[in-house]
Amino acid sequence: MRLSIREGMVPGKTVLEKFRNLEQLGFDGVELTNTVGVESAEEVQAAMKETGIQPSITSYRRGGCLIDPRKEERDLAVRGHVEALELAAKVGAYGVISPPVITMKMQPDRTRVPDLSPVLSRDELERKMVVALYQEIAKRGEELGTAIIVEPLNRYEQWWPCTLKHGVEICRAVGSPACKMMADLFHMHIEETDMPGAIREAGTEYIYNVHLADSTRRLPGSAFTDFTSCFRALKEIGYDKFCGLECGIDGDPMTALKENVAYLRKLWAEA
């Protein structure tokens, strides 16, 4: 099991301090959030060399929105994705995570594209925009050896994609080896009727990263999610990439994270 964690969850004031703490805690990797950009690549590389901690994925940080009716906002989102792919290539990460509709959903003041029915409904047009722009971004990903990693979210954060099946549909529509997807167990517990079954159906062709959080979005083991059955499904499909913590932490982070690393490795071994 290769364990990573979102950079913002890690104790430490500098990149190097965070990487040293991750080594002490028993992690293998770290997810570089939107506070770490291309300009920090050398600092990340130096921390990697000292600690052996490997960046797993990156986040885009320029803002914008892939389905905004304003071209300048779409262009901004595309540039942010490409820069995150370039950072991923510099530090050896798999790619950039991308929940394509979250910005529009969570910023209700944004205007959506018009409904052009009966030619195209609003949903059809937005989905076509996502696929077309992902195709553009994926070309750069192919050149760099990195990937867009589509992130399905629950319906309260993003109206589409919400399930692993939606993510697979996007990957197939984009039609690029540089378009993959995420399996996030927190969102899955809301949207999937059979979490292990959804993992098996999606398979390793498309699942490129996994996020771990319990049903209350706290550390695994604190609530009701059946991690063992999901880990068993991941092992059955031959998943060999990172499983990353993205959740809240109760208590002292160094103590709680060290305990949780041991807990997750035990579950994985028993799955």
Side-chain angles (χ1 to χ4, degrees):
M1 184 184 206
R2 301 171 71 192
L3 271 177
S4 64
I5 185 173
R6 298 287 279 171
E7 174 263 334
M9 296 172 59
V10 185
K13 295 182 179 179
T14 67
V15 168
L16 182 56
E17 285 180 6
K18 289 175 181 285
F19 274 54
R20 285 172 174 167
N21 282 334
L22 288 173
E23 182 183 22
Q24 180 181 338
L25 290 168
F27 284 93
D28 306 293
V30 63
E31 300 182 4
L32 301 179
T33 60
N34 55 15
T35 60
V36 181
V38 176
E39 71 280 356
S40 304
E42 290 186 3
E43 185 181 6
V44 172
Q45 289 166 344
M48 291 167 56
K49 185 176 181 180
E50 178 181 320
T51 64
I53 298 297
Q54 175 64 50
S56 55
I57 55 175
T58 62
S59 299
Y60 71 93
R61 63 174 186 165
R62 281 196 173 272
C65 178
L66 292 171
I67 59 171
D68 197 287
R70 296 165 293 180
K71 186 176 186 301
E72 61 269 22
E73 285 295 296
R74 300 194 302 273
D75 289 346
L76 188 61
V78 169
R79 287 199 301 274
H81 279 77
V82 169
E83 287 184 9
L85 288 176
E86 291 170 347
L87 173 61
K90 287 180 180 292
V91 300
Y94 285 113
V96 56
I97 57 171
S98 178
V101 179
I102 187 173
T103 308
M104 186 63 75
K105 172 71 172 177
M106 303 306 286
Q107 296 179 10
D109 290 340
R110 284 184 181 269
T111 300
R112 294 178 68 181
V113 296
D115 188 329
L116 301 180
S117 300
V119 178
L120 280 176
S121 70
R122 173 181 284 151
D123 285 345
E124 290 172 326
L125 181 55
E126 289 177 341
R127 293 181 188 209
K128 285 181 178 293
M129 290 167 68
V130 167
V131 170
L133 293 178
Y134 273 167
Q135 288 172 332
E136 179 181 336
I137 298 164
K139 290 179 182 178
R140 184 60 175 146
E142 290 178 27
E143 294 169 355
L144 294 167
T146 57
I148 306 161
I149 303 171
V150 183
E151 184 172 17
L153 304 179
N154 72 75
R155 71 196 75 174
Y156 307 108
E157 297 180 43
Q158 177 170 269
W159 55 77
W160 170 87
C162 297
T163 65
L164 298 196
K165 184 178 180 180
H166 292 161
V168 169
E169 290 170 352
I170 292 173
C171 292
R172 288 175 175 167
V174 173
S176 168
C179 186
K180 303 295 184 180
M181 62 173 285
M182 163 92 72
D184 186 309
L185 300 193
F186 171 74
H187 298 293
M188 289 175 66
H189 102 273
I190 298 173
E191 298 294 340
E192 305 284 1
T193 57
D194 179 358
M195 292 169 64
I199 290 169
R200 293 186 184 97
E201 185 175 352
T204 51
E205 180 181 359
Y206 296 112
I207 298 178
Y208 232 50
N209 196 69
V210 174
H211 267 168
L212 305 178
D214 218 314
S215 55
T216 52
R217 210 161 196 170
R218 313 304 290 177
L219 285 171
S222 62
F224 309 111
T225 299
D226 181 359
F227 289 92
T228 300
S229 65
C230 292
F231 288 169
R232 186 176 302 120
L234 288 168
K235 291 170 78 169
E236 287 174 5
I237 66 172
Y239 182 76
D240 60 359
K241 296 177 176 62
F242 285 94
C243 293
L245 287 175
E246 186 192 39
C247 55
I249 303 170
D250 296 316
D252 174 63
M254 291 297 289
T255 301
L257 289 173
K258 192 173 187 64
E259 292 175 352
N260 210 247
V261 166
Y263 171 75
L264 289 169
R265 294 198 187 281
K266 180 176 181 292
L267 291 187
W268 183 270
E270 294 172 349

